[in-house]
Amino acid sequence: MSDARLGVLKTYKLYVGGRFPRSESGRVYEVTDVKDRWLANAPLASRKDARDAVVAARKAFGGWSGATAYNRGQILYRVAEMLEGRREQFVAEVADAEGLSKAKAAAQVDAAIDRWVWYAGWSDKVAQIAGSSNPVAGPYFNLSAPEPTGVVAVLAPQESSFLGLVSVLAPVIVTGNTAVVVTSERAPLPALSLAEVLATSDLPGGVVNLLSGRTAELGAPLAAHQDVNALDLTGADADLAKELQTAAADNLKRVLRPRATDWSADPGTDRLLAFLETKTVWHPMGV
Amino acid sequence: MTFDYAPAPESRAVVDLASSYGLFIDGEFADGAGGGLRKTVSPATEEVLAEYTQGTAEDVDRAVQAARRAFEKWSALPGAERAKYLFRIARIIQERSRELAVLETLDNGKPIRESRDADLPLVAAHFFYYAGWADKLGHAGFGADPRPLGVAGQVIPWNFPLLMLAWKVAPALACGNTVVLKPAETTPLSALFFADICRQAGLPKGVVNIVTGDGSTGAALVAHPGIDKVAFTGSTGVGKAIARTVAGTDKKLTLELGGKAANIVFDDAPIDQAVEGIVNGIFFNQGHVCCAGSRLLVQESVQDELLDALKRRMSTLRVGDPLDKNTDIGAINSAEQLSRITELTAAGEAEGAERWSPACELPGSGYWFAPTLFTGVTQAHRIAREEIFGPVLSVLTFRTPEEAVAKANNTPYGLSAGIWTEKGSRMLWMASKLRAGVIWSNTFNKFDPTSPFGGYKESGFGREGGRHGLEAYLNV
């Protein structure tokens, strides 16, 4: 009898401000596996969705950047815990999205879970690595400390739908930035499912906002947005990267240019450091 | 009865100026490729000091090629050997510092007191500091074997001509890069004297190249496909244009741009010290400082007391001959800059702010602007929003620390800020809330080569100074 049971399909939605809206445009696009079989209809986010996501990210920035590093680290670790519990779901989604065998997809998901754990450990160490006490020639206490740069718009890698996504997202938020992420255009489903994990991981709403849709269509308003502080162009091709970088010059966004990356390799600190400012405080010293 | 100060002029005999200067390319002074000559004048007297060469795109290309040729050997030198060249340069700068200070004052208009006591000591200190990094780059936190980028194209402003050169050249060379530097149009001379210091230090030819000229020369340098890194200090407008130029290329970019710093004074601040800090914050170097404390935010309860003390202090500022050792405020760097300051202050009055300057006599020739204070300024006024880059202070008030933070951060800039309070916990809270790269607390406008400097938001990106400053010149 059970053979006759029809499975329940999921309606995939965006993740903005801790909620799961459909695109305000009402649009969806067809997501297929590598053999062109229909998997789901993903929301085709609009420019308005992108702007809403920036508003949500800005709203969340004060609380998230003001949280203790200990707290942020635990929340990133909590993401790993939640993912571990839903490992099989993600293995299936990544296998579908990228046309991988179950074993290869499992390796991707395991690496992504481990990456959350690795970055979780950075939250309370990055200030010690990137900061400094400066021996100025005079009676001053002088200290440099890293601070998050603000709202970071991330164009996630196109090919690595999950490990790549996690590899660009975790370093942005662990230091206190908030993120608006445009998922892989062709393979958005693992990212949209990650939103369900983030929503149940004590991560405050708005810290991460996930938009599925056309990378170029969503990249343009994000690169031009005056309230976006930094731009990660990993998921852009050379022409789009140049166009968006030019737009980003308008309010001097920090830009991380696209470059070939092996997502399975151990990450260094450059993605962490790319979205930090250095603040230097001087105070006289004396009795 | 009042006693007048006797004039105490510094002798300009220590500076031997040529009538005309070429470009410094591949270790030699050479004529330009037909861009003609420009004149550089003393802003205090409008006297023509010398002619210099308008570099063309062709000249830039020659300089970049020379730097490219030199890069191979320079980057392959053991760090300890590169370090010794930089130490030599630091020492020669110290030896020639009086000459360079007088030169800088002649060409820039800044008081000799400042070029002698602030600019030159810092210039030498920067070379000394970065010299020591050259053989220790593996310890800088950017990996075990960080590599130089190649040829750096550097464009610097006119407010601290030699100091900005030091900020750019010292870390670039320490990391093993070679440079092509374009000094500002109105202040090219000290960079040309620096070329002579490179000669005295025996620096290999082509490691440092100086191409003088106007903005078109800088644009040609920034756009040149043969450079690997662009470093610019100057206006936010030009910084944005440069960011567009390098978009889509592999050139690494750092920008030190404008600012509109808030200098925040609480009611428990030591008023006399705060007044000194405010004066230093906005009238140092005629206010031609990107991190100048140009917006004074004063707590309402001490506004009257503070403004009275500030006006008293401003009345003692001596404006005049920059070569006079008693002078506090020298000449505005150029006629163009003077008209910009005049235009913005006129807008301040037109928008309803109240203008005040102490009685002071300004010289008849040259470019001068009296120290100026605006009260009754609101956040919407242009003089509270736009960088004036002159001796003009806008005064706003606040009641609570939260309000001070909100007003201080209400700007597209984020370079610096000042906090004046006796309460340590409040200072630290404020410092953490202000979106600016440098926070001076109970002091202002302090610089040191070991201390990173640079902005948030539209004040640019990257840091100069300290360990952090190395990042701009390494492949990290």
Side-chain angles (χ1 to χ4, degrees):
Chain A
M1 289 295 283
S2 63
D3 288 352
R5 184 180 178 273
L6 190 62
V8 178
L9 293 178
K10 179 163 80 180
T11 298
Y12 285 89
K13 297 188 184 177
L14 305 175
Y15 182 52
V16 176
R19 295 172 179 276
F20 292 89
R22 294 184 165 89
S23 169
E24 64 80 35
S25 65
R27 303 181 302 176
V28 293
Y29 71 112
E30 190 169 297
V31 178
T32 57
D33 66 11
V34 287
K35 291 185 179 140
D36 267 346
R37 285 178 303 220
W38 184 86
L39 289 171
N41 293 321
L44 184 62
S46 66
R47 294 169 159 261
K48 174 74 164 83
D49 291 317
R51 291 196 296 271
D52 289 348
V54 173
V55 170
R58 173 60 60 194
K59 199 171 162 197
F61 179 68
W64 182 242
S65 60
T68 63
Y70 183 39
N71 184 222
R72 285 199 305 269
Q74 288 184 89
I75 290 173
L76 261 76
Y77 184 74
R78 181 78 175 154
V79 174
E81 289 179 345
M82 294 285 118
L83 270 177
E84 188 79 40
R86 297 169 70 162
R87 183 172 172 277
E88 295 312 313
Q89 175 198 339
F90 282 95
V91 170
E93 283 190 329
V94 170
D96 282 346
E98 301 181 25
L100 299 175
S101 68
K102 195 165 180 247
K104 283 190 173 154
Q108 297 272 306
V109 172
D110 290 345
I113 295 171
D114 292 351
R115 197 137 295 170
W116 281 108
V117 175
W118 191 74
Y119 277 114
W122 266 117
S123 71
D124 50 7
K125 292 161 197 77
V126 68
Q128 294 176 317
I129 300 301
S132 62
S133 160
N134 310 310
V136 298
Y140 296 93
F141 173 79
N142 181 300
L143 209 60
S144 293
E147 286 194 345
T149 198
V151 174
V152 182
V154 180
L155 306 187
Q158 297 297 341
E159 298 310 319
S160 184
S161 65
F162 190 60
L163 177 57
L165 170 86
V166 167
S167 303
V168 297
L169 174 59
V172 167
I173 63 169
V174 69
T175 51
N177 295 294
T178 56
V180 176
V181 183
V182 179
T183 64
S184 164
E185 183 168 327
R186 188 191 56 77
L189 302 184
L192 295 178
S193 289
L194 177 69
E196 297 159 19
V197 168
L198 299 175
T200 52
S201 300
D202 304 326
L203 191 75
V207 172
V208 175
N209 304 275
L210 290 158
L211 305 171
S212 55
R214 306 291 175 224
T215 301
E217 183 187 357
L218 295 169
L222 291 170
H225 201 297
Q226 295 296 302
D227 204 26
V228 171
N229 301 97
L231 198 54
D232 179 345
L233 291 173
T234 301
D237 62 30
D239 287 344
L240 180 63
K242 179 174 180 179
E243 179 195 325
L244 297 185
Q245 211 180 327
T246 305
D250 215 41
N251 72 334
L252 293 163
K253 289 177 183 67
R254 282 67 178 130
V255 176
L256 191 65
R257 293 172 178 150
R259 64 196 149 164
T261 308
D262 173 8
W263 300 110
S264 62
D266 283 340
T269 55
D270 51 338
R271 286 187 168 271
L272 277 173
L273 303 181
F275 302 109
L276 292 175
E277 301 289 345
T278 296
K279 176 183 279 179
T280 301
V281 179
W282 294 65
H283 195 281
M285 222 163 37
V287 289
Chain B
M1 127 180 225
T2 57
F3 292 94
D4 286 334
Y5 286 92
E10 175 70 54
S11 167
R12 58 185 281 183
V14 288
V15 178
D16 188 12
L17 273 174
S19 61
S20 178
Y21 288 90
L23 307 168
F24 185 67
I25 295 174
D26 211 13
E28 312 263 345
F29 275 102
D31 289 340
L37 294 175
R38 310 183 68 93
K39 293 179 170 60
T40 184
V41 301
S42 160
T45 60
E46 299 178 57
E47 164 204 0
V48 174
L49 295 171
E51 290 184 321
Y52 68 96
T53 303
Q54 166 65 31
T56 62
E58 200 181 316
D59 297 320
V60 166
D61 186 54
R62 266 194 305 140
V64 171
Q65 287 185 30
R68 175 61 57 193
R69 284 193 301 274
F71 173 67
E72 211 172 303
K73 277 191 184 163
W74 180 248
S75 59
L77 269 187
E81 298 301 307
R82 283 204 309 274
K84 287 194 282 186
Y85 281 110
L86 289 168
F87 279 123
R88 278 188 184 187
I89 290 172
R91 283 302 204 211
I92 296 171
I93 288 167
Q94 288 175 333
E95 287 163 10
R96 296 178 62 174
S97 80
R98 183 58 56 96
E99 172 196 2
L100 294 165
V102 172
L103 173 72
E104 198 80 322
T105 284
L106 278 173
D107 202 19
N108 169 282
K110 64 172 66 199
I112 186 72
R113 190 169 62 80
E114 291 176 4
S115 53
R116 182 194 62 195
D117 299 347
D119 293 48
L120 262 299
L122 278 170
V123 171
H126 270 85
F127 277 98
F128 206 86
Y129 174 75
Y130 277 111
W133 267 122
D135 54 357
K136 301 170 190 68
L137 296 172
H139 299 279
F142 303 113
D145 185 28
R147 303 300 306 153
L149 297 167
V151 178
Q154 307 180 318
V155 178
I156 58 171
W158 45 259
N159 57 342
F160 293 93
L162 198 55
L163 183 58
M164 292 301 105
L165 176 147
W167 282 26
K168 299 274 182 294
V169 172
L173 263 46
C175 294
N177 303 277
T178 55
V179 307
V180 177
L181 177 126
K182 191 204 84 80
E185 184 179 341
T186 60
T187 55
L189 294 180
S190 51
L192 296 168
F193 273 55
F194 178 76
D196 189 53
I197 290 171
C198 294
R199 176 189 65 80
Q200 289 185 335
L203 193 71
K205 63 180 191 174
V207 171
V208 168
N209 304 275
I210 312 279
V211 180
T212 51
D214 62 7
S216 68
T217 314
L221 176 56
V222 166
H224 195 290
I227 60 170
D228 305 285
K229 195 248 155 31
V230 173
F232 172 72
T233 294
S235 74
T236 290
V238 174
K240 289 180 180 180
I242 290 173
R244 287 182 200 108
T245 302
V246 304
T249 72
D250 290 330
K251 291 172 191 168
K252 194 162 175 171
L253 176 64
T254 45
L255 299 171
E256 297 286 355
L257 308 175
K260 193 73 191 174
N263 204 355
I264 304 161
V265 181
F266 284 94
D267 58 8
D268 67 343
I271 293 290
D272 289 342
Q273 283 175 43
V275 165
E276 283 308 305
I278 294 162
V279 166
N280 181 35
I282 186 61
F283 300 122
F284 178 65
N285 205 44
Q286 296 71 248
H288 299 328
V289 187
C290 48
C291 51
S294 54
R295 285 183 300 153
L296 176 63
L297 294 182
V298 54
Q299 198 157 19
E300 219 174 75
S301 46
V302 287
Q303 182 189 195
D304 293 344
E305 184 190 349
L306 183 79
L307 285 179
D308 287 348
L310 180 58
K311 286 178 178 175
R312 259 199 317 277
R313 177 67 180 88
M314 281 172 67
S315 302
T316 67
L317 291 173
R318 295 169 59 81
V319 184
D321 180 7
L323 276 173
D324 191 316
K325 290 169 220 165
N326 293 320
T327 292
D328 297 304
I329 297 183
I332 299 300
N333 182 252
S334 65
E336 187 195 359
Q337 185 57 25
L338 179 59
S339 71
R340 204 171 298 150
I341 299 168
T342 308
E343 191 266 324
L344 269 162
T345 46
E349 279 185 289
E351 289 181 342
E354 192 180 326
R355 178 177 185 161
W356 182 88
S357 285
C360 74
E361 237 174 85
L362 300 179
S365 63
Y367 317 125
W368 303 92
F369 199 88
T372 298
L373 181 76
F374 276 101
T375 50
V377 179
T378 76
Q379 297 185 79
H381 286 161
R382 282 183 67 199
I383 52 170
R385 307 205 64 80
E386 295 177 29
E387 188 178 36
I388 300 176
F389 225 64
V392 182
L393 180 65
S394 298
V395 183
L396 298 89
T397 61
F398 68 92
R399 291 183 180 176
T400 64
E402 287 79 6
E403 188 187 349
V405 167
K407 283 184 170 168
N409 287 340
N410 183 15
T411 168
Y413 296 112
L415 189 50
S416 65
I419 308 167
W420 298 85
T421 173
E422 285 288 88
K423 200 169 168 190
S425 58
R426 180 156 61 202
M427 183 281 279
L428 291 170
W429 182 86
M430 290 292 291
S432 74
K433 295 286 174 198
L434 294 171
R435 301 287 291 164
V438 185
I439 312 283
W440 287 293
S441 183
N442 292 337
T443 183
F444 209 93
N445 267 349
K446 291 287 180 286
F447 302 92
D448 192 277
T450 67
S451 182
F453 179 93
Y456 285 35
K457 302 198 282 185
E458 292 191 22
S459 291
F461 36 77
R463 294 293 179 269
E464 292 182 295
R467 181 184 70 78
H468 295 75
L470 293 167
E471 189 188 346
Y473 293 97
L474 294 171
N475 64 339
V476 292

